[in-house]
Amino acid sequence: MSRQGYPRQLRLLTAGDYRHVFETAAFKVHGKGLMALASPNELGHPRLGLIFSKKNVRRAVDRNRLKRIVRESIRLQQHRLPSVDIVVLARRGVHELDNATVHRQLHGMWRRLEKEARKSPPGTDLSSQETSGAGLKR
């Protein structure tokens, strides 16, 4: 049985971790109301960071609900995901989605991320690839 916890090592903890993902994002996947940027890491497991701003999700109860759903989703899918640092950003209107819809969106995003990461040839430096995620509008 695989480990399904959500320990501290699966989280992006510092501002530098987040900055690294924004500057070197090799993968970008969208869902309805959500976007994930991912950058390869050398740790052998995925790490997750969340950005749910008041501007896009006004009520704290909605921000907390969405963050719980994303953490639960990554906890259950961590064994399938490649070794990447992921930052999930909320977009306007995501708080209007029900839990089941958010789960489906995230499941699809993780599948697309896994597929994109598998497509990139092993041994290539993914951090040198240019993406349009560096100049995000907020």
Side-chain angles (χ1 to χ4, degrees):
M1 185 170 146
S2 64
R3 301 184 74 191
Q4 302 241 331
Y6 188 66
R8 192 169 171 87
Q9 69 188 19
L10 292 181
R11 304 176 200 164
L12 295 179
L13 299 173
T14 65
D17 292 340
Y18 282 87
R19 191 176 315 110
H20 181 262
V21 174
F22 280 111
E23 290 173 356
T24 65
F27 309 108
K28 185 176 177 182
V29 291
H30 297 272
K32 184 174 183 176
L34 296 169
M35 180 175 65
L37 299 173
S39 177
N41 70 32
E42 302 296 326
L43 302 173
H45 58 82
R47 294 192 304 170
L48 176 70
L50 302 170
I51 299 178
F52 287 73
S53 68
K54 276 190 195 179
K55 180 179 176 182
N56 293 331
V57 184
R58 180 63 73 199
R59 296 183 329 159
V61 66
D62 292 327
R63 286 193 304 276
N64 292 334
R65 174 182 65 93
L66 291 165
K67 288 192 280 189
R68 274 194 309 272
I69 292 170
V70 174
R71 283 193 297 264
E72 177 70 3
S73 176
I74 199 83
R75 184 184 72 79
L76 295 174
Q77 296 292 324
Q78 67 184 333
H79 63 283
R80 298 181 67 201
L81 291 171
S83 178
V84 292
D85 291 339
I86 305 166
V87 174
V88 176
L89 299 124
R91 297 173 137 184
R92 289 187 188 199
V94 69
H95 68 280
E96 297 168 358
L97 301 175
D98 63 355
N99 292 357
T101 304
V102 175
H103 271 291
R104 280 194 307 276
Q105 293 292 323
L106 288 166
H107 185 70
M109 287 170 62
W110 302 146
R111 271 197 340 253
R112 287 191 304 276
L113 178 62
E114 181 184 8
K115 189 186 224 181
E116 283 185 30
R118 211 179 305 125
K119 266 194 318 191
S120 63
T124 59
D125 184 16
L126 297 175
S127 63
S128 66
Q129 293 178 358
E130 287 292 320
T131 63
S132 59
L136 293 174
K137 292 182 182 178
R138 295 193 193 165

